[in-house]
């Protein structure tokens, strides 16, 4: 099988690539089939059913390697943001790569400990509403750092650490009031947002923290939002944090860590030709303001690691036409992938099998004439249950397969059982091998706890 370059705008290498397929002596049925690593997606659908979340272990590892290379000249730890995709098998894969983890709940912490208990020492605990039980569990686990987001939370942690007689390393998450160009629901760096403490109040709170016996001031944290594709806001936020670190050291505090948060976005429509170049720009933006400070940098990427490494595989149940409006009704729904309904998010959607005529049209630049505008919708009883509207796709018949790309982040993590729909299975592909990492739910699983 050979890779087909005509699909370069639709592929997400190294995880999802079209390969040529030939059938019979006369090559009837010849075309191109989407693969995850080295496994054809139709085989996965046949074996595991649809809808199905498919992840590439190769793509995840390559992304981690790219981060490590981009930041190789600066002391750092990659603390994967668990909320992006919290499957234990994926966490175990990342732990094997020596990643740390950013958690925002006690449940996420427990998942990390199940994946690899030794990873606790590389965990940072963020979030505005940590409970005392969650703090106590994190102290017992021996995590690296608590990112504190309010004075009340600071005293709650002081109480918990005193009861356990266990030191808690703390950083205040400061709000730098830096605007980032992203969806308002995932922007976090302005004074109007619930996250962090105003940077102008930070020195006063650090002074209070230093007076608590079991609290150890150790760092400063910042996070300005998610799905940010411009490096400038990161540079501005980190520069403000660097100034604060100098002031805090002048006040006598020992600052060992700067947590620069996550938020690095991906291009869902037209992925960058070189992720390494894109990452290098981000690395320069984050590290340049920190030169000479002698700090250890903590990074919290999530989407940029697992987003392109996952796809949602779905089958077309029905073709439908209402007064000229065409619909593809698929067996996946908004409960499986809510991003289009929640954010109006765009995901590339591709037929898993494409014929040579379509490929030739794509290569020649006249593919529009071989495509039809359709709405790709699910079976949930909501008009908001859609994956694409008026999207031009090659004709796909009932029973055909579609792949919704870049679904590795905030796909399964945001899924639900709305309409009493069992959630999909998840599989992790590594080269020619595949492993079920979450079994498909059954309807009786959903109501068994209610009886």
């Amino acid at each position: 099988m050979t890779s087909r370059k005509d699909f370069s705008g639709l592929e997400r290498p190294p995880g999802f690539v079209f390969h040529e397929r030939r059938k019979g002596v006369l090559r009837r049925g010849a075309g191109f089939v989407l693969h995850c690593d080295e496994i054809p997606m139709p085989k996965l659908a046949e074996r595991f059913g649809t809808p199905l979340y498919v992840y590439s272990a190769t793509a995840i590892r390559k992304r981690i390697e790219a981060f490590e290379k981009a930041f190789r000249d600066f002391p750092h730890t990659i603390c994967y943001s668990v909320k992006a995709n919290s499957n234990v098998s994926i966490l175990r894969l990342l732990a094997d790569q020596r990643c740390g983890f950013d958690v925002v709940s006690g449940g996420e912490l427990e998942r990390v400990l199940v994946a690899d208990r030794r990873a606790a020492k590389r965990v940072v605990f963020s979030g505005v509403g940590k409970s005392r039980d969650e703090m106590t569990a994190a102290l017992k686990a021996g995590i690296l750092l608590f990112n504190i987001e309010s004075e009340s939370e600071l005293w709650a942690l002081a109480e918990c650490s005193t009861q356990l007689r266990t030191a808690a390393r703390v950083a205040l998450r400061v709000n730098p009031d830096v605007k980032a160009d992203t969806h308002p629901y995932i922007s976090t760096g302005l004074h109007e947002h619930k996250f962090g403490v105003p940077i102008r109040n930070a020195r006063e709170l650090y002074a209070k923290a230093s007076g608590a016996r079991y609290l150890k001031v150790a760092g400063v944290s910042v996070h300005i939002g998610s799905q940010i594709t411009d490096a400038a806001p990161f540079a501005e936020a980190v520069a403000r944090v660097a100034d604060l670190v100098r002031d805090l050291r002048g006040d006598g505090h020992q600052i060992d860590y700067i947590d620069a948060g996550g938020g690095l976005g991906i291009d869902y429509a037209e992925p960058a030709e070189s992720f390494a170049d894109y990452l290098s720009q981000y690395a320069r933006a984050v590290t340049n303001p920190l030169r000479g400070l002698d700090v250890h940098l903590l990074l919290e990427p999530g989407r940029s690691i697992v987003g392109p490494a996952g796809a949602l595989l779905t089958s077309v149940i029905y073709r439908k036409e209402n007064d000229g409006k065409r619909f593809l009704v698929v067996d996946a729904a908004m409960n499986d992938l809510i991003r289009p309904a929640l954010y109006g998010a765009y995901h590339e959607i591709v037929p898993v099998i494409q014929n040579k005529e379509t490929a030739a049209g794509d290569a020649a630049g006249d593919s529009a004439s071989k495509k039809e505008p359709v709405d790709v919708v699910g079976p949930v009883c909501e008009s908001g249950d859609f994956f694409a509207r008026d999207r031009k796709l090659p004709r796909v018949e009932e029973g055909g397969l579609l792949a919704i790309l870049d679904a590795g982040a905030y796909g399964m993590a945001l899924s639900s059982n709305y309409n009493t729909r069992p959630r999909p299975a998840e599989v992790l592909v590594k080269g020619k091998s595949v492993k079920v990492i979450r079994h498909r739910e059954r309807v009786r699983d959903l109501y068994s706890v209610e009886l």
Side-chain angles (χ1 to χ4, degrees), residues 207-234:
K208 292 179 179 180
S210 65
R213 179 176 179 182
Y214 287 99
L215 297 185
K216 176 176 172 53
V217 171
V220 180
S221 172
V222 66
H223 178 70
I224 58 174
S226 184
Q227 186 47 20
I228 301 168
T229 56
D230 178 11
F234 294 113

Side-chain angles (χ1 to χ4, degrees), residues 288-366:
N288 283 347
L290 304 180
R291 299 293 178 185
L293 279 183
D294 190 23
V295 291
H296 190 95
L297 179 63
L298 303 175
L299 299 158
E300 301 172 0
R303 183 195 316 265
S304 55
I305 290 175
V306 296
L312 178 57
L313 185 59
T314 184
S315 300
V316 176
I317 306 173
Y318 302 117
R319 290 183 56 90
K320 180 178 179 178
E321 187 169 329
N322 285 350
D323 293 330
K325 178 77 171 179
R326 295 171 182 170
F327 299 88
L328 296 181
V329 183
V330 299
D331 60 1
M334 63 185 291
N335 72 293
D336 304 311
L337 178 63
I338 200 174
R339 295 189 71 255
L342 182 62
Y343 302 122
Y346 179 95
H347 282 265
E348 192 75 54
I349 301 174
V350 297
V352 168
I353 298 175
Q354 301 210 18
N355 60 40
K356 281 199 168 185
E357 289 72 20
T358 300
D362 286 340
D366 62 353

Side-chain angles (χ1 to χ4, degrees), residues 319 328 349-351 354 358 362 370-372 392-396 402:
R319 290 183 56 90
L328 296 181
I349 301 174
V350 297
Q354 301 210 18
T358 300
D362 286 340
K370 301 178 183 298
K371 296 181 179 180
E372 59 177 355
K392 289 186 176 180
L393 295 176
R395 183 177 176 89
V396 181
L402 296 175

